[in-house]
Amino acid sequence: MNIQSKLPNVGTTIFSVMSALANKHNAINLSQGFPNFDCPEALKQMVNKHLQEGKNQYVPMAGVPALRQRLVDKIDRMTGHSINPDTEITITAGATQALFTAIATFVSAGDEVILIEPAYDCYRPAIEVVGGIPIAYELVAPDYTINWQEIKNLVTEKTKMIIINTPHNPIGKTLKASDLKALEDLTKGTDILVLSDEVYEHLIYDGANHQSVLRYPELFKRSLAVYSFGKTFHNTGWKIGYIVAPDYLMKEFRKVHQFNVFSVNSFVQYGIADFLEDPESYLTLPNFYQQKRDFFGKTMEGSRLQPSSSEGTYFQLFDYSNISDEADTDFAKRLTIEHGVASIPVSVFYTSGRQDKMIRLCFAKTEDLLESAGKLLREI
Ligand code: PMP
Ligand code: GLN
């Protein structure tokens, strides 16, 4: 039978490819972003309690009310912004589903969506599958500074959406208040929506504040902000997240969400709602991961890999140009096979395949593993 692929250029994600290569060669896996330690015991017990007590049937489409209320309280505490739990927040099957559904809801064939590259890999296929046109704005190593005037120059009458990501995967930088102000000015008076990927909202270091779109009332009127419990509670496999948007946008989002997911698994939502009663778990996260970042930084001292600063996320970029001229995908493969450490080559996050000789390493790992990886990397 003759079928026409909607995504003819899409293969297996780099995360699956590099994790499989790490497993095959018994390498330390600092590629795909996930912790090598477990989520909190108390959270597992709370989830288990609801499973055992029979919270096993459909829950409301928007999510368990108690969970939405706890999240509204969290948002209020973190951003000072007050969200309506009934109309402005929806629990999703991870951030990926929230992003996909948001794009499918608002982007139509021929619409343009501005992406800031290097960009997390799920945005572009979601745009293309609905017939939208991704317009890439390239950030350049080592500073990766956004020039908002250049982004403004990409705006046309077809621009439907701009996607931002802060803290940023893979570069580990955060947007500042001036960036959000510039975005607010750029979109003022237009019909452009902002899709803001904020899954690393709590992984932010050196005392900085997370600059969420929720902090900017004018900007929020055109924004959808996406979050993931996987990053916050060290359980990437649970695939639960949420999306926050003003009611008129959320109303449209839910029309699509109810027919591709309806409701997300029940007992996990009840368990997370209980766990969120104590804000300690997320308030301590910046410190927890900052220590890991700093520990990893120390173990890498003396390596020929040159570190970029990581202001947020659990990733750090390293420049390998002192070691090799190879393309980053080749270098990352060789590093895995010959030196026993798996990484992610940054060129895969650029449509153009731009080569800045950078790899991404994940420091969401126990100190013994980071120490072992550092030892191997210092020897290269
Ligand atoms: N956005 C970014 C920037 C991510 O790094 C990730 C996953 N690591 C996601 C979205 C997807 O999150 P989830 O696993 O909750 O779908
Ligand atoms: N977001 C994770 C990363 O950046 C990977 C998620 C996935 O494997 N799809 O490494």
Side-chain angles (χ1 to χ4, degrees):
M1 199 168 77
N2 207 1
I3 58 144
Q4 200 175 355
S5 173
K6 282 194 161 191
L7 298 171
N9 302 319
V10 167
T12 308
T13 81
I14 190 69
F15 308 117
S16 306
V17 169
M18 292 311 297
S19 275
L21 197 69
N23 291 339
K24 184 171 169 202
H25 295 277
N26 236 339
I28 296 176
N29 191 359
L30 304 190
S31 64
Q32 193 176 24
F34 61 88
N36 73 329
F37 42 88
D38 205 359
C39 64
E41 190 53 38
L43 173 58
K44 289 200 286 186
Q45 279 173 14
M46 286 167 184
V47 169
N48 196 30
K49 169 175 159 277
H50 289 289
L51 170 68
Q52 298 304 331
E53 284 180 357
K55 298 275 184 17
N56 296 313
Q57 309 308 329
Y58 292 129
V59 294
M61 184 264 278
V64 164
L67 177 56
R68 281 185 276 140
Q69 185 57 54
R70 293 275 141 72
L71 290 169
V72 163
D73 297 344
K74 175 167 102 72
I75 290 165
D76 193 15
R77 179 178 294 116
M78 302 304 291
T79 69
H81 189 79
S82 155
I83 292 290
N84 182 324
D86 295 324
T87 58
E88 295 186 314
I89 181 164
T90 300
I91 310 302
T92 61
T96 312
Q97 183 248 314
L99 291 160
F100 187 91
T101 302
I103 290 167
T105 303
F106 296 106
V107 177
S108 304
D111 286 345
E112 294 177 358
V113 179
I114 297 179
L115 296 180
I116 300 175
E117 294 189 338
Y120 184 61
D121 69 342
C122 77
Y123 312 147
R124 171 174 276 272
I127 297 163
E128 287 177 343
V129 96
V130 296
I133 304 163
I135 303 291
Y137 171 71
E138 282 194 351
L139 301 179
V140 177
D143 296 330
Y144 296 104
T145 308
I146 299 180
N147 179 329
W148 288 99
Q149 184 53 47
E150 285 174 13
I151 294 192
K152 192 171 184 180
N153 294 343
L154 298 177
V155 170
T156 72
E157 71 282 0
K158 289 191 187 151
T159 307
K160 177 53 63 80
M161 182 181 271
I162 299 177
I163 303 183
I164 59 169
N165 173 210
T166 184
H168 190 281
N169 178 9
I171 61 182
K173 281 187 71 167
T174 54
L175 293 183
K176 310 296 181 295
S178 57
D179 293 304
L180 277 285
K181 277 275 163 222
L183 181 61
E184 190 172 85
D185 288 347
L186 191 161
T187 50
K188 198 174 283 166
T190 72
D191 290 329
I192 300 172
L193 298 174
V194 172
L195 180 56
S196 184
D197 181 341
E198 304 185 9
V199 300
Y200 299 101
E201 61 174 327
H202 297 297
L203 279 60
I204 193 153
Y205 312 127
D206 307 313
N209 270 336
H210 171 51
Q211 291 298 319
S212 169
V213 289
L214 303 183
R215 286 175 182 264
Y216 298 83
E218 270 312 303
L219 190 57
F220 180 63
K221 286 181 188 160
R222 60 177 73 251
S223 296
L224 301 111
V226 172
Y227 303 90
S228 169
F229 293 116
K231 319 293 167 193
T232 304
F233 297 140
H234 320 305
N235 49 19
T236 60
W238 287 12
K239 296 296 292 188
I240 298 220
Y242 56 102
I243 183 163
V244 178
D247 53 5
Y248 78 104
L249 295 178
M250 190 57 80
K251 193 168 151 221
E252 294 303 313
F253 177 91
R254 287 181 182 172
K255 287 182 188 172
V256 180
H257 176 77
Q258 73 174 338
F259 292 118
N260 74 347
V261 176
F262 184 63
S263 65
V264 175
N265 60 68
S266 53
F267 54 92
V268 179
Q269 291 195 53
Y270 284 106
I272 293 177
D274 288 353
F275 192 65
L276 276 171
E277 252 182 78
D278 182 359
E280 172 88 0
S281 57
Y282 58 85
L283 293 179
T284 52
L285 265 187
N287 205 18
F288 175 79
Y289 273 117
Q290 185 170 324
Q291 275 177 23
K292 292 201 177 293
R293 179 198 67 174
D294 293 345
F295 181 86
F296 187 48
K298 282 228 151 42
T299 70
M300 289 296 285
E301 276 172 16
S303 162
R304 288 198 292 156
L305 290 164
Q306 291 301 308
S308 296
S309 58
S310 172
E311 301 170 338
T313 75
Y314 41 49
F315 303 116
Q316 187 164 14
L317 295 188
F318 288 83
D319 179 332
Y320 63 86
S321 56
N322 281 341
I323 301 175
S324 166
D325 286 337
E326 285 160 288
D328 60 1
T329 41
D330 294 334
F331 180 72
K333 275 187 193 138
R334 201 163 63 76
L335 196 64
T336 312
I337 296 167
E338 293 178 14
H339 300 281
V341 181
S343 61
I344 296 288
V346 174
S347 67
V348 301
F349 300 111
Y350 286 101
T351 313
S352 69
R354 183 186 176 83
Q355 285 286 342
D356 282 324
K357 306 248 179 309
M358 290 284 196
I359 53 167
R360 189 197 80 177
L361 295 173
C362 173
F363 56 78
K365 308 291 171 189
T366 46
E367 291 192 352
D368 57 332
L369 200 75
L370 293 174
E371 175 67 58
S372 305
K375 186 166 183 294
L376 292 169
L377 294 170
R378 286 196 307 271
E379 282 164 6
I380 302 168

